[in-house]
Amino acid sequence: QVQLVESGGGLVQPGGSLRLSCAASGSIFRANAMGWYRQAPGKQRELVATVTSGDSTYYADSVKGRFTISRDNAKNTVYLQMSSLKPEDTAVYYCNADLLLRFGNSRTYWGQGTQVTVSS
């Protein structure tokens, strides 16, 4: 079975940093675009950042200059380096990946979510 496993969430003080990781496993031929979404309580899920297979990146305005998305294609892993964290960044963060499966078609997969809490 194909799955995305996230790690790296936790509690951090304002101004601190965290690095989230999301590793895709299974019968994967290639990972296409990968990214991160987040959802705060009572709010809609929002796109945070994406990175293509060619390392082209996109960032939401709210995180530009503070977050960096990257990927390791050999490990089918996407990272989100989060710096200068603010209380407004508190949310459950979900990784997302468009995966081309071996002997199959591409489809979108989601991680289980990891909690990031920014509080003093």
Side-chain angles (χ1 to χ4, degrees), residues 31-67:
N32 297 316
M34 307 180 79
W36 292 91
Y37 289 71
R38 67 185 182 187
Q39 187 169 23
K43 300 180 67 176
Q44 293 291 109
R45 186 174 299 186
E46 64 175 343
L47 177 64
V48 176
T50 61
V51 57
T52 69
S53 59
D55 293 323
S56 178
T57 59
Y58 164 85
Y59 297 94
D61 289 341
S62 59
V63 306
K64 285 181 180 177
R66 300 188 298 118
F67 291 9

Side-chain angles (χ1 to χ4, degrees), residues 88-100:
E88 308 93 272
D89 297 318
T90 296
V92 177
Y93 284 70
Y94 298 89
C95 67
N96 170 275
D98 183 74
L99 303 176
L100 176 60

